[in-house]
DNA sequence: CAGTATCCAGCTGGATACTG
DNA sequence: CAGTATCCAGCTGGATACTG
């Protein structure tokens, strides 16, 4: 636990998070946007987005091979939800054995582009985060 | 369940997700970045980021008031993790009753800016998602 | 091959009570 | 005020077995 002794002069005021005109004004929209982000920012969704953006159309099993650690159940679930949200197109080929392909829709590709900023941020600030974590652990250890 | 009859001509190939040079090349870095995004894309973290970006320094209870639905436990947990990752500065004033203030660090502010793209995407494509969901439910109902 | 179905261990997070 | 501690219901997601 940190016990920083205070500097009472801290009265910084920041700018709004970003130029999203309606965000702050309409709480209903805000809630909806949060919900969308919550669903879409999910671990596997992000990775599927990434893999499909890189490889174009892929079969179910090809996706499974490229996404280390995903279970069949979670891959199915993630793809189904992405399909429902209009992020991927699921194409069933009527052959035996079955062949199912997944591609990003335009919407899915645009989401990938939108996440780009977060990706770049994580990459660029990785070191700062590691340093901050080490400092926090040190403070904790010192009580 | 969808049973789209296939068009075998679908052989689209996309561009890489974004201009993140190292992302695709270094799997270790990729895993790390994913982990960071996973932690940071969490529901409450995003909202705290937003509220602090808008209001500057806030006390624990003020944050609680502005974040509808958050429990004391989750607010504490989220703030502690954000502090550990270097996203917020926690300042304890040595007075009775205690007074604790939270401000975004520069790192926290930059993350807010990075998430801006996702926020704008969600806002702009809200309607497309709703439409896609309705269409999916209709396909499901039709079997 | 591309799933579905079932079981279940473990994490998540709310509710409640308590405290320096 | 700003937490911590405890309990516990419910969701999450892995493992395994099965199927058109």
């Amino acid at each position: 636990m940190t016990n920083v002794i205070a500097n009472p002069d801290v009265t910084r005021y920041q700018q709004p998070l970003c130029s999203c005109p309606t965000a702050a004004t309409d709480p209903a929209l805000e809630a909806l946007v949060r919900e969308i982000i919550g669903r879409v920012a999910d671990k596997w969704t992000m990775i599927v987005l990434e893999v499909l953006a890189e490889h174009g159309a892929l079969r179910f099993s090809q996706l499974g091979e490229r996404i280390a650690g995903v279970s069949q159940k979670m891959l199915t679930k993630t793809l189904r939800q992405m399909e429902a949200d209009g992020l991927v197109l699921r194409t069933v080929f009527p052959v035996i054995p079955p062949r199912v392909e997944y591609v990003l829709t335009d919407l899915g590709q645009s989401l990938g582009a939108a996440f780009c900023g977060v990706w770049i941020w994580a990459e660029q600030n990785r070191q700062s985060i590691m340093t901050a974590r080490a400092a926090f652990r040190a403070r904790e250890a010192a009580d």
Side-chain angles (χ1 to χ4, degrees), chain A:
Chain A
M1 199 60 49
T2 326
N3 275 301
V4 177
I5 295 307
N7 166 13
D9 292 344
V10 175
T11 21
R12 278 204 279 166
Y13 281 89
Q14 278 89 4
Q15 304 295 333
L17 181 61
C18 61
S19 51
C20 314
T22 45
T25 45
D26 182 346
L29 177 59
E30 195 173 339
L32 208 63
V33 171
R34 279 174 183 171
E35 189 238 313
I36 289 170
I37 293 178
R39 288 186 56 169
V40 128
D42 138 282
K43 184 185 177 188
W44 297 122
T45 301
M46 256 216 12
I47 303 182
V48 168
L49 213 58
E50 199 194 325
V51 171
L52 282 181
E54 231 183 296
H55 295 280
L58 286 178
R59 304 179 61 166
F60 183 85
S61 50
Q62 292 175 317
L63 278 164
E65 285 160 21
R66 282 175 175 74
I67 302 177
V70 74
S71 68
Q72 201 180 31
K73 180 178 171 180
M74 286 315 295
L75 186 55
T76 302
K77 192 180 165 188
T78 302
L79 286 168
R80 209 66 90 223
Q81 188 182 293
M82 291 177 77
E83 189 196 0
D85 287 346
L87 301 177
V88 302
L89 179 67
R90 178 172 177 271
T91 309
V92 178
F93 294 79
V95 295
I96 293 173
R99 173 185 181 91
V100 179
E101 280 191 359
Y102 295 89
V103 223
L104 288 186
T105 60
D106 290 346
L107 191 63
Q109 286 185 57
S110 68
L111 177 59
F115 258 113
C116 197
V118 182
W119 186 273
I120 291 173
W121 179 90
E123 205 172 83
Q124 286 179 346
N125 296 100
R126 190 174 49 90
Q127 196 52 60
S128 304
I129 295 170
M130 305 305 259
T131 306
R133 286 186 187 170
F136 185 78
R137 278 194 301 273
R139 270 179 279 150
E140 260 185 333
D143 284 341

